[in-house]
């Protein structure tokens, strides 16, 4: 009888990717909020613009992330099992059903 395969833990880069996207949106929101604060000197208005800029930039970055398509080298890496030989018997993680019609 074979032993159950332990799931591969995600790498640090994979774990921090959502945090990086949120930090980028936060920086963009802070820039807009600070620009509004310095130009109008109204903290409430600056806070509103910060919130709007943060949410809009977060949605735009998420949309760009969803449209990312891996190139041939990255696709090969995704299909590879990690030991240099594709199809060595080690199951890969489930990545979802994929796009329809492919």
């Amino acid at each position: 009888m074979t032993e159950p395969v332990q799931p591969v833990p995600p790498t640090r880069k994979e774990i921090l990717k959502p945090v990086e996207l949120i930090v980028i949106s936060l920086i963009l929101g802070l820039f807009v909020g600070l620009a509004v604060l310095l130009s109008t000197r109204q903290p409430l208005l600056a806070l509103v613009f910060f919130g709007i800029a943060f949410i809009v930039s977060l949605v735009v970055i998420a949309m760009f992330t969803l449209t990312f398509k891996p190139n041939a080298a990255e696709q090969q890496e995704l299909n590879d099992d990690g030991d240099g030989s594709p199809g060595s018997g080690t199951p890969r993680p489930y990545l979802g059903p994929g796009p329809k019609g492919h």
Side-chain angles (χ1 to χ4, degrees):
M1 188 172 228
T2 61
E3 295 181 24
V5 177
Q6 297 295 328
V8 178
T11 63
R12 184 180 204 138
K13 185 176 181 181
E14 292 170 345
I15 292 172
L16 294 178
K17 184 67 173 176
V19 175
E20 292 173 3
L21 300 177
I22 291 173
V23 168
I24 291 171
S25 296
L26 185 66
I27 291 171
L28 290 171
L30 283 173
F31 176 76
V32 169
L34 186 63
V36 170
L37 181 65
L38 292 176
S39 62
T40 63
R41 298 189 190 263
Q42 294 181 3
L44 185 59
L45 187 63
L47 187 63
V48 168
F49 272 86
F50 162 75
I52 291 171
F54 174 71
I55 291 171
V56 168
S57 64
L58 192 62
V59 169
V60 169
I61 289 174
M63 289 296 149
F64 281 140
T65 303
L66 286 174
T67 61
F68 172 79
K69 183 176 181 180
N71 61 21
E74 292 169 337
Q75 190 64 40
Q76 176 64 27
E77 185 177 324
L78 288 173
N79 293 335
D80 192 11
D81 288 335
D83 61 354
S85 62
S88 65
T90 308
R92 294 187 301 267
Y94 178 69
L95 300 175
K100 295 192 185 255
H102 288 25

